[in-house]
Amino acid sequence: MSDITEAESVVVGREACPKCRANGNDNSGDNLARYSNGGAYCFACEYYEKGDGSASAEPVPSSFKVYRGSIKSLDHRSIDTKPCRVYGYQTANIRNKDIEIANYFKDGKLVAQHMRGPDKTFHWVGSPRGCELFGQHLWGNGGKKIVITEGEIDALTVAQMQDCKWPVVSLPNGAAGAVRDIKNNLEFVSSFGEVVLMFDMDEPGQAAAKSVCDILPPGKAKIASLPYKDANECLTKGSSRSIIDAIWQA
């Protein structure tokens, strides 16, 4: 992966979170992920430092009930703890059901949570209208390459394959909302030299990828091709190398 040396916003280390420490937590001293653009993010308490040189700031308190769970591996998806920790992807037992929680931000504020229940049941809490892409708060504007997937699980999968060092984000609302969600975050997406669209290999996913290409500057977007339906299915079926190949051959 040495060819990605020009990426400008990568994880460069982990350190103690000042907010967690003030509350007597983060005994391991590694809750805060520090990025090469100067920004930082704590997966445990959502403490946030901007990467544009401005003063550090915590997200504004959310106006909805925030669910909190634990950070752990997703064994049924072959996803390790590390990407879940970096992206703050949590698992909680709510009303006797294991629910996976993806946090969504806008301008440093936690605005919504995407709740994934058993049998692919989904619902939102908070207001995802106009939110950033999943994981966008982790990466500053600009860099050589970014991968955009259709869903959070695929984003975690691709992040795992790259040791969580290179920008990967996902759509909040899948293929159906791809154009709208990219338009809402067009400045961020367009700031990267190359945008790899790793959407699902079904008809809606590929149609959405082509539509997104039409709204990005000419020559910037590339469409990845996978041997299975999505990145996570490649991982669970033992074809993890095809994910990396798809990025470079897009």
Side-chain angles (χ1 to χ4, degrees), residues 17-58:
C17 171
K19 182 180 177 183
C20 287
R21 280 288 174 91
N23 293 328
N25 299 318
D26 193 11
N27 294 326
S28 60
D30 64 355
N31 277 10
L32 194 73
R34 177 68 62 182
Y35 296 86
S36 58
N37 70 340
Y41 176 71
C42 175
F43 74 90
C45 71
E46 280 95 40
Y47 173 83
Y48 174 76
E49 294 180 5
K50 294 182 179 180
D52 59 3
S54 61
S56 64
E58 296 182 50

Side-chain angles (χ1 to χ4, degrees), residues 150-166:
E150 210 174 295
E152 299 112 0
I153 293 296
D154 292 320
L156 295 175
T157 299
V158 178
Q160 176 170 296
M161 292 303 302
Q162 300 182 108
D163 198 30
C164 300
K165 292 180 178 179
W166 316 112

